[in-house]
Amino acid sequence: MNNIVLIGFMGSGKTTIGTLLAEKLGVTFTDMDNEIVNIEQHSVKEIFEYQGEQYFRDLESKLIVDLLQVNNQVISTGGGVVLRQENIDNLKKIGIVVFLHAEGDQIYEHIKGDRTRPLLNGDDVQEQIKTLLEQRDPKYLSAANIIIQTTGKSIDNIVDEIITLL
Ligand code: S3P
């Protein structure tokens, strides 16, 4: 099986959906944020705080290059991978890129109260989501082979939809 790469905004369900998708397909699940946390032995929040965003982005790009070597995996990415065109180009080589599209309101419901995401920690998180979505949605769309609308759907439905579209 070709790898499946899940992309989408923070809180769009990439990790939850990826875990179940990999289980149903009987393949390995790799979560890029978790890999980076394991390598660095620091949380994403700590890496952003002490080393800065560019350092984290470099780790992300390097991990994507390593993932060019793997097969038969479901890979969940961090929401910012599409910020670098080189990442998009490599993700397309790694496998089928599935964009989990979520509306701003749904994203806010998922992430509100969660203080682990360094880019969504301002006073007006809904406004931050709106601004970042406007910047990033075109990039997710340009990277995607398959687009899944997640709003109002259960995790099971989304996973089954992905499987039928592969
Ligand atoms: C980020 C998304 C996060 C994590 C980091 C930066 C982003 O991953 O990589 O906080 O720029 O959108 P999730 O999409 O898994 O929350």
Side-chain angles (χ1 to χ4, degrees):
M1 188 194 85
N2 208 343
N3 298 302
I4 299 166
V5 181
L6 301 180
I7 63 167
F9 201 78
M10 294 171 267
S12 59
K14 299 180 297 277
T15 302
T16 317
I17 290 163
T19 305
L20 187 62
L21 180 62
E23 200 180 298
K24 284 204 179 183
L25 294 172
V27 300
T28 302
F29 175 61
T30 297
D31 182 275
M32 283 189 52
D33 280 348
N34 277 349
E35 292 291 311
I36 291 173
V37 167
N38 286 339
I39 293 165
E40 292 291 297
Q41 293 293 301
H42 286 289
S43 68
V44 171
K45 190 167 176 251
E46 286 166 345
I47 300 171
F48 267 70
E49 205 169 315
Y50 301 122
Q51 317 278 351
E53 179 172 351
Q54 287 320 305
Y55 179 85
F56 177 82
R57 299 293 173 209
D58 288 343
L59 293 172
E60 223 171 27
S61 297
K62 187 174 172 297
L63 178 56
I64 290 175
V65 170
D66 292 345
L67 289 170
L68 285 164
Q69 308 301 327
V70 307
N71 286 305
N72 294 319
Q73 295 202 10
V74 172
I75 298 161
S76 155
T77 59
V81 285
V82 292
L83 294 173
R84 291 187 179 177
Q85 185 60 41
E86 67 175 269
N87 292 347
I88 294 181
D89 295 343
N90 282 333
L91 291 176
K92 287 184 178 192
K93 287 183 199 153
I94 290 170
I96 303 167
V97 180
V98 179
F99 170 31
L100 301 176
H101 179 268
E103 305 289 338
D105 291 348
Q106 183 187 327
I107 289 166
Y108 179 66
E109 284 308 311
H110 276 177
I111 60 96
K112 71 177 176 196
D114 180 347
R115 295 274 144 216
T116 63
R117 290 185 171 92
L119 295 182
L120 297 178
N121 60 1
D123 291 334
D124 191 345
V125 173
Q126 271 166 306
E127 192 53 36
Q128 283 183 304
I129 292 172
K130 192 168 164 274
T131 307
L132 286 175
L133 270 179
E134 276 166 12
Q135 291 165 1
R136 292 182 178 184
D137 266 347
K139 297 180 194 285
Y140 295 129
L141 287 169
S142 84
N145 298 117
I146 294 175
I147 301 162
I148 306 279
Q149 302 296 342
T150 61
T151 304
K153 292 178 187 163
S154 71
I155 300 295
D156 264 312
N157 281 349
I158 295 166
V159 168
D160 290 343
E161 193 175 329
I162 296 171
I163 292 172
T164 57
L165 290 173
L166 289 176

